[in-house]
Amino acid sequence: MTLAGDATHDPALRSWVGSANDPASDFPIQNLPYGRFRRRGGTEPWRVGVAIGDGVLDLHAAGLGRGPDIAEVLSLPVAERRDLRVRLSQALRAGSSDETRLRACLVAQTDVELGVPCEIRDFTDFYAGIHHARAVGSLFRPDSPLLPNYQWVPIGYHGRASSVYASGIDFRRPHGQVKPPGEAAPRLAPSARLDYELELGIVIGRGNEPGVPVTLADAEAHVAGLTLLNDWSARDVQAWEYQPLGPFLAKNFATTVSPWIVTLEALAPFRERFGRALGDPSPLPYLDSPANRESGVIGIELEVWLQTAAMRERGDRGVRLSTSSFRDAYWTLAQLVAHHTVNGCNLGTGDLLGTGTLSGPEPSQGGSLLELSRGGQQPVPLGNGEQRTFLADGDTVILRGYCERPGARRIGFGECRATVLPARAGVG
Ligand code: MN
């Protein structure tokens, strides 16, 4: 696929949807992400929407989408998905002759419920954030923070699709087996070390046939786009259960994704070179190509915000805990897709691949409280007298993401948010 910008990225483009022209909007006409919406509180089937400013364009009603199922949009071949983007851009730009007709297909985002952006078929979580891997590894293995396979294999595990929730859906603090240091036996208890993980979600558009690997060159043709993803993690449960097969109940109680799939087409102006630090091994040939080296990276800036119950009561929007960037990941999204399928594993439309926690190189850029509090040893001050080592009941975690560079219109991902509710009574 071509990565250069086209007319749909022109920063001078304006929309007849006035709110889309606000420089602070995540959803200018240069973005055009897909998601699912329905009337708030309703039970009717989801409809496919395109975010534009503070509105949602009903794609099917506008006569621009294919079927009413978002899978049909996400699984379009590259040329057709580019064509749909061009038609949307033309229909929504200021002066379009479609304006009067399309105004009837536009609803306010505040008037609708936004769901998980597509039916999640399967969920894999990678571990592509090397700064996270190193920081967490150093807590458990100070002399060898990074295991020897890390720089060769994109590490991952299979997660669970059933508990992938839409942004805004709150969940209860999970119970699990925990065995605090110094105690002789484990017990069942509400997690006392509940954490978030700042990640991106890669949404697969077109699947691959069983047994037929997706090559690095083809990988991005199989990706519809990206969301924000919070891989909530119970660290005390994780510490006791993770050996020898990896995370299980510490991770599968809740995963939150943002409502909008920002397409690879929209991200084209933000591509960057991929490289390895001096002394690091070069990726194996199936994970290496000139195109991946030239522009495999996407510069997506990420933020974690925390709003405690006390902040909420005072009308305080919360505190920014950290910032980081997808550019600091060790593997590109094309490498993750190529690796996932190299053994013949079949991906399908709606498969979700988490990147792994995206921390930055600085200690203050940890994408989880585990990192920011140094394993719970150093409470993180919140600036209002409160502090956290791990999450408290009533805490709302909000992930945000955006891309910006000179000569391009800034685009954003919206929000990925959920609140921790108290543990269910009577479980343990
Ligand atoms: Mn994770």
Side-chain angles (χ1 to χ4, degrees):
M1 66 188 295
T2 174
L3 301 171
D6 58 31
T8 66
H9 302 107
D10 180 350
L13 278 187
R14 292 172 67 81
S15 173
W16 50 262
V17 180
S19 57
N21 304 322
D22 178 346
S25 175
D26 276 354
F27 308 115
I29 192 168
Q30 291 84 355
N31 193 345
L32 304 174
Y34 300 113
R36 295 193 300 177
F37 73 100
R38 65 183 174 198
R39 241 177 322 171
R40 195 172 282 287
T43 53
E44 72 254 46
W46 294 106
R47 305 185 66 82
V48 185
V50 176
I52 178 78
D54 56 18
V56 182
L57 181 75
D58 185 323
L59 196 65
H60 197 55
L64 284 160
R66 271 230 183 141
D69 185 350
I70 196 169
E72 299 199 38
V73 174
L74 302 181
S75 61
L76 289 173
V78 171
E80 288 180 47
R81 75 189 199 201
R82 250 190 245 139
D83 182 58
L84 177 56
R85 174 177 167 85
V86 168
R87 282 185 291 135
L88 273 166
S89 175
Q90 288 169 346
L92 287 167
R93 74 184 57 167
S96 161
S97 57
D98 292 323
E99 174 179 343
T100 311
R101 185 176 66 83
L102 293 191
R103 275 202 184 275
C105 310
L106 193 69
V107 291
Q109 286 181 29
T110 48
D111 287 347
V112 296
E113 175 186 354
L114 299 170
V116 174
C118 64
E119 198 77 42
I120 304 298
R121 174 187 182 269
D122 231 325
F123 173 42
T124 297
D125 200 22
F126 281 100
Y127 200 51
I130 190 169
H131 302 295
H132 171 75
R134 205 173 257 138
V136 171
S138 70
L139 290 172
F140 296 108
R141 297 175 304 274
D143 22 336
S144 67
L146 219 51
L147 292 170
N149 58 1
Y150 189 87
Q151 291 170 317
W152 297 94
V153 188
I155 303 290
Y157 68 94
H158 283 114
R160 201 166 164 83
S162 67
S163 48
V164 175
Y165 298 122
S167 179
I169 299 204
D170 302 333
F171 64 93
R172 288 192 176 275
R173 176 181 298 273
H175 281 78
Q177 270 203 31
V178 296
K179 185 177 174 296
E183 290 191 18
R187 56 194 161 81
L188 184 66
S191 171
R193 290 163 70 95
L194 184 60
D195 200 358
Y196 58 82
E197 288 191 341
L198 167 63
E199 305 195 18
L200 286 164
I202 299 163
V203 179
I204 298 297
R206 292 175 82 71
N208 59 302
E209 292 301 314
V212 183
V214 175
T215 64
L216 192 64
D218 275 345
E220 292 193 356
H222 292 264
V223 173
L226 301 177
T227 67
L228 301 165
L229 184 151
N230 188 339
D231 177 25
W232 303 95
S233 301
R235 301 300 182 193
D236 39 6
V237 178
Q238 186 178 357
W240 173 234
E241 76 170 8
Y242 86 104
Q243 287 179 317
L245 286 184
F248 183 36
L249 302 185
K251 300 270 193 177
N252 69 3
F253 56 93
T255 305
T256 306
V257 291
S258 57
W260 300 109
I261 299 171
V262 176
T263 64
L264 288 192
E265 286 72 31
L267 294 164
F270 308 100
R271 307 297 299 232
E272 298 177 15
R273 294 188 64 80
F274 166 85
R276 283 278 184 256
L278 215 60
D280 278 13
S282 291
L284 291 180
Y286 79 99
L287 296 175
D288 187 29
S289 73
N292 189 64
R293 270 175 264 143
E294 184 56 41
S295 56
V297 169
I298 310 176
I300 302 174
E301 315 308 324
L302 300 163
E303 300 181 347
V304 182
W305 290 70
L306 175 65
Q307 184 194 50
T308 67
M311 291 174 184
R312 197 157 43 250
E313 270 162 36
R314 285 201 318 271
D316 178 342
R317 65 199 282 253
V319 61
R320 193 173 69 185
L321 289 181
S322 69
T323 64
S324 61
S325 173
F326 187 33
R327 86 167 52 78
D328 289 320
Y330 201 69
W331 303 101
T332 65
L333 71 143
Q335 288 172 321
L336 298 181
V337 171
H339 180 68
H340 202 309
T341 60
V342 73
N343 64 345
C345 173
N346 52 319
L347 299 177
T349 304
D351 270 25
L352 178 67
L353 315 182
T355 54
T357 307
L358 297 170
S359 303
E362 302 300 325
S364 63
Q365 293 186 293
S368 67
L369 277 173
L370 180 68
E371 291 157 86
L372 295 178
S373 74
R374 313 280 179 274
Q377 298 302 302
Q378 291 176 23
V380 179
L382 304 182
N384 65 343
E386 293 186 281
Q387 57 179 36
R388 288 289 182 275
T389 47
F390 293 97
L391 296 170
D393 291 347
D395 283 355
T396 301
V397 177
I398 305 139
L399 310 183
R400 296 198 174 97
Y402 61 93
C403 301
E404 65 183 357
R405 70 160 177 79
R409 175 61 159 88
R410 175 194 179 280
I411 63 170
F413 281 72
E415 284 186 350
C416 176
R417 71 156 66 210
T419 301
V420 178
L421 305 175
R424 177 172 292 278
V427 176

